[in-house]
Amino acid sequence: LGADVIKVEPPGGSPSRRIGPFFQDQVDPERSLFFWHYNTGKRSLVADLDDPEGVRCVHELVRHADVLLESRAPGYLGLRGLGAAQLRALNPALIYASISPFGQTGPWRDYRACDLVHLALGGQMEHTRYEARFDGSQDTPPIAPQMWQAYHIAGDHAALAILAALLHRMGSGEGQQLDVSIHRTCAVTTEIDVPTWIYNKAPFPGFYVPYTPTRDGRWLLGGMGMSMGSSSAALLDLLRKYGWEHDLGDPAYAATALQPAQAEHVADITRRFIGAAGLEQLWHEAQQRGLMW
């Protein structure tokens, strides 16, 4: 977005330079496609943070910087004179953003983790398994999304926080310290599972209807949540038009959160309705009613 980004690397280069694949299959820290992909457009500078000269170099950079983004273990930079309070004393307008496994404070701050651990603890592995039943049971093991998903989630949250801090500074002149916990970002990025549990005290195992084959051999995702809510009237209108309403007009099915048995019943009727219809007509009719189909 037009920023001048300087990546400070240790002697020998960032460890990410040693992650393959490599250009033309030649293993070399200057040929890592992984490194190129994540560092396109950045400048690079080598600084040994265990050497006073390297620390001085970072101090000079910080005096003129807008943002410092770091991902060392909590306390590592502070012991070297590069902590948030120390650097913001040099530049009060600095935005100092830290990404760490479990945040800068709390009982887990010194724990280590990896992408797989974060996806398991955060809920993504549970959330992405297939064919959840409405009673909360599963018939497949947890599934790990591939390739650094936890770190991508944390990076996304960090970028949003940094942009917000920059906007705040435009009006106030103040810098800020930002603490991004990878675990926290994963735990709050599970679509509507967490809010459903918090507000309705009910588990949210998935959509009503997974991809279902239609009469003409196509596939349709008739997706809504455990709660029919505002979608209930639209769904009933669509089902009623084709004579598939059955008993779903009962006021019990307009509740904020349905019980598992009710949800299974709605899913069964909707699934059979989709299977009896042609995709094009059904999809357009659902879209016209504001259904997420």
Side-chain angles (χ1 to χ4, degrees), residues 1 28 31 40 52-53 75 83 110 120 122 131 156 162 170 219 244 257 259 268 289:
L1 299 178
D28 187 293
R31 302 171 75 90
T40 298
E53 181 60 27
D110 295 321
E131 288 287 354
D156 185 55
I162 288 168
M170 289 171 63
W219 292 78
W244 280 83
Q259 296 302 311
D268 179 62
R289 291 166 172 78

Side-chain angles (χ1 to χ4, degrees), residues 16-37:
S16 58
R17 290 181 177 272
R18 294 186 281 278
I19 299 176
F22 297 91
F23 180 56
Q24 296 180 335
D25 293 327
Q26 297 181 29
V27 180
D28 187 293
E30 298 291 345
R31 302 171 75 90
S32 165
L33 299 181
F34 178 93
F35 184 85
W36 291 355
H37 172 71

Side-chain angles (χ1 to χ4, degrees), residues 5-229:
V5 182
I6 300 173
K7 183 177 182 68
V8 178
E9 302 186 55
S14 168
S16 58
R17 290 181 177 272
R18 294 186 281 278
I19 299 176
F22 297 91
F23 180 56
Q24 296 180 335
D25 293 327
Q26 297 181 29
V27 180
D28 187 293
E30 298 291 345
R31 302 171 75 90
S32 165
L33 299 181
F34 178 93
F35 184 85
W36 291 355
H37 172 71
Y38 286 105
N39 294 281
T40 298
K42 299 178 187 177
R43 295 196 286 160
S44 179
L45 179 140
V46 173
D48 185 350
L49 302 186
D50 291 319
D51 184 298
E53 181 60 27
V55 173
R56 187 196 65 79
C57 179
V58 175
H59 281 178
E60 288 304 309
L61 286 174
V62 165
R63 292 181 194 276
H64 309 287
D66 293 300
V67 178
L68 183 143
L69 176 62
E70 64 94 9
S71 57
R72 294 283 192 168
Y76 178 92
L77 292 181
L79 292 174
R80 290 157 177 79
L82 299 170
Q86 296 153 318
L87 296 188
R88 292 188 62 220
L90 296 175
N91 179 359
L94 179 70
I95 295 165
Y96 189 110
S98 300
I99 299 178
S100 62
F102 299 101
Q104 301 297 304
T105 60
W108 287 13
R109 60 162 263 168
D110 295 321
Y111 286 6
R112 296 184 180 185
C114 63
D115 189 58
L116 184 65
V117 168
H118 284 305
L119 293 172
L121 283 175
Q124 276 68 30
M125 289 175 64
E126 178 74 13
H127 181 71
T128 53
R129 61 164 75 187
Y130 296 119
E131 288 287 354
R133 300 185 182 93
F134 286 103
D135 63 3
S137 63
Q138 298 276 0
D139 60 2
T140 59
I143 298 171
Q146 292 297 302
M147 301 309 295
W148 323 109
Q149 285 292 313
Y151 299 131
H152 287 171
I153 293 169
D156 185 55
H157 282 240
L160 291 170
I162 288 168
L163 289 172
L166 287 167
L167 288 170
H168 172 78
R169 193 180 67 183
M170 289 171 63
S172 67
E174 298 174 339
Q176 293 189 59
Q177 180 181 0
L178 308 177
D179 179 8
V180 180
S181 159
I182 300 173
H183 171 61
R184 181 179 178 84
T185 62
C186 287
V188 300
T189 310
T190 54
E191 296 188 354
I192 60 175
D193 293 48
V194 172
T196 299
W197 179 258
I198 291 173
Y199 297 118
N200 295 335
K201 299 298 184 289
F204 182 90
F207 292 104
Y208 271 131
V209 184
Y211 280 107
T212 302
T214 58
R215 186 183 61 203
D216 50 4
R218 310 281 290 282
W219 292 78
L220 182 67
L221 177 64
M224 295 179 299
M226 279 286 287
S227 166
M228 294 179 73

Side-chain angles (χ1 to χ4, degrees), residues 209 212-215 239 243-248 264-277 282 293:
V209 184
T212 302
T214 58
R215 186 183 61 203
L239 293 172
W244 280 83
E245 178 185 3
H246 293 271
D247 60 345
L248 299 186
E264 284 286 4
H265 182 56
V266 175
D268 179 62
I269 291 174
T270 307
R271 187 184 297 111
R272 289 189 287 119
F273 168 57
I274 292 173
L282 183 56
W293 285 26

